């Protein structure tokens, strides 16, 4: 067995193939990658390949682009059988680990442990401060592996779906409240909200400090181009109270190409749970109008239960829960 570094852009197709095969769980089908997810992922991989000349140039000027996607690939007799990716968060020494994937035919041989160990060794050499990953809460073998390697659970989330269906009417906000489009260059709104509402257990690994939110102006432009080439359009909103206080933010991804899926995420001040229903209604009606006939995938933080409770009223169904785990190097 050989474990080698992940190389851009040559390994994008390899990554795509491994994820599509490796994220299949016949015994737990709700964990498996769905057909529309595969369609979206394929378009995004093709978009990334088209953007590579620009990204290669930008890597000389910013750690964000230099470390946009690193990783390792495990090979058996020259054939890829496992994958892991990791990416820097902003310019901070904080890293996200993703796509921990082993083909079903090569599981239970310690390969995932070798891949994670390779990443942790690499991050130590880079003087990383923290590493964060997500794992399905009922995937006990993976959970035990990460705990044995030093990760601890610090929060969680719910993945949920709304299948394509009848449109819902636009919601009406209480008097004085506003929900307005948010500029792609606006990092301050998310920072202001996070400072007020981030729980202590989450702040231990994802502290609401300015450096984690501020980004160079070119980053949202590159992100917008990547989404366009990948067949998606992003929409962002900010919810304000009558006194101007930011009470919530929302972000939607709407498909512009054939096939694929839509998605949405939210942050809402827990002091205003009564507005969760409005935020969900706005998300569903906006996405359905922009990209009808497709499933909408939602991600809800477990410390914001009002959002999922509101979603259930619109027919959103839980798919699975996840633990968010962190490891500190320093």
């Amino acid at each position: 067995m050989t474990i080698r570094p992940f190389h851009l852009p040559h390994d994008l197709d390899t990554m795509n193939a491994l994820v599509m095969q490796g994220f299949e769980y016949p015994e737990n089908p709700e964990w498996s990658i769905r057909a529309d997810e595969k369609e979206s992922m394929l378009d995004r991989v093709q978009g990334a390949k088209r953007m590579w000349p620009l990204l290669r140039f930008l890597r000389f000027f910013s750690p964000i682009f230099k470390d946009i996607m690193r990783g390792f690939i495990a090979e058996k007799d020259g054939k890829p059988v496992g994958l892991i990716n990791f990416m820097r968060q902003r310019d901070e020494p904080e890293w996200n680990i993703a796509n921990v994937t082993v083909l079903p035919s090569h599981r239970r041989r310690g390969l995932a442990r070798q891949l994670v160990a390779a990443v942790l060794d690499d991050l130590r050499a880079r003087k990383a401060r923290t590493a964060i990953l997500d794992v399905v809460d009922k995937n006990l073998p993976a959970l035990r592996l990460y705990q044995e390697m030093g990760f601890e659970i610090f929060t969680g989330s719910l993945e949920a779906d709304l299948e394509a269906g009848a449109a819902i009417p636009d919601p009406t906000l209480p008097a004085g409240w506003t929900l307005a489009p948010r500029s792609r260059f606006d990092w301050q709104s998310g920072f202001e909200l996070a400072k007020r509402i981030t729980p202590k257990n989450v702040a231990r690994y994802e502290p609401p400090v300015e450096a984690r939110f501020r980004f160079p102006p070119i980053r949202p432009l590159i992100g917008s181009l990547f989404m366009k080439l990948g067949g998606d359009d992003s929409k962002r909103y900010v919810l304000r109270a009558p006194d101007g206080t930011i009470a919530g933010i929302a972000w939607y991804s709407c498909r512009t190409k054939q096939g694929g899926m839509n998605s949405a995420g939210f942050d809402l001040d827990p002091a205003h749970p009564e507005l969760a229903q409005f935020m969900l209604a706005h998300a569903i009606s906006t996405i359905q109008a922009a990209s009808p006939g497709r499933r909408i995938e939602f991600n809800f933080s477990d410390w914001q239960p009002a959002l999922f409770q509101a979603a259930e009223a619109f027919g959103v169904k839980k798919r699975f829960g996840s633990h968010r785990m962190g490891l500190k190097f320093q």
Side-chain angles (χ1 to χ4, degrees), residues 162-169 284-285 288 314:
L162 179 66
E163 299 296 340
I168 66 170
I284 295 169
S285 63
Q288 286 180 335
F314 293 104

Side-chain angles (χ1 to χ4, degrees), residues 90-138:
R90 302 288 194 268
D91 286 330
E92 292 291 282
E94 301 174 2
W95 296 74
N96 274 359
I97 298 174
N99 295 337
V100 185
T101 310
V102 176
L103 295 184
S105 58
H106 287 74
R107 290 176 184 163
R108 305 187 186 282
R109 302 182 187 182
L111 186 51
R113 183 182 296 272
Q114 294 178 55
L115 287 166
V116 176
V119 169
L120 297 184
D121 287 344
D122 187 288
L123 293 182
R124 290 187 183 97
R126 297 178 189 278
K127 308 299 182 184
R129 184 166 60 217
T130 58
I132 293 172
L133 55 77
D134 296 283
V135 59
V136 175
D137 56 6
K138 293 183 179 179

Side-chain angles (χ1 to χ4, degrees), residues 11 41 64 76 82 93 108 121 127 136-137 142 152 159 181 190 246 261 283 318 325-326:
D11 282 327
M41 183 175 179
I64 293 177
K76 176 69 172 177
R108 305 187 186 282
D121 287 344
K127 308 299 182 184
V136 175
D137 56 6
E152 63 174 345
E159 293 285 340
I246 295 174
M261 62 170 193
K318 177 182 174 181
M325 307 184 74

Side-chain angles (χ1 to χ4, degrees), residues 231-243:
D232 298 290
D233 179 38
S234 64
K235 299 180 183 295
R236 293 151 45 96
Y237 295 88
V238 57
L239 175 68
R240 294 183 183 272
D243 64 359

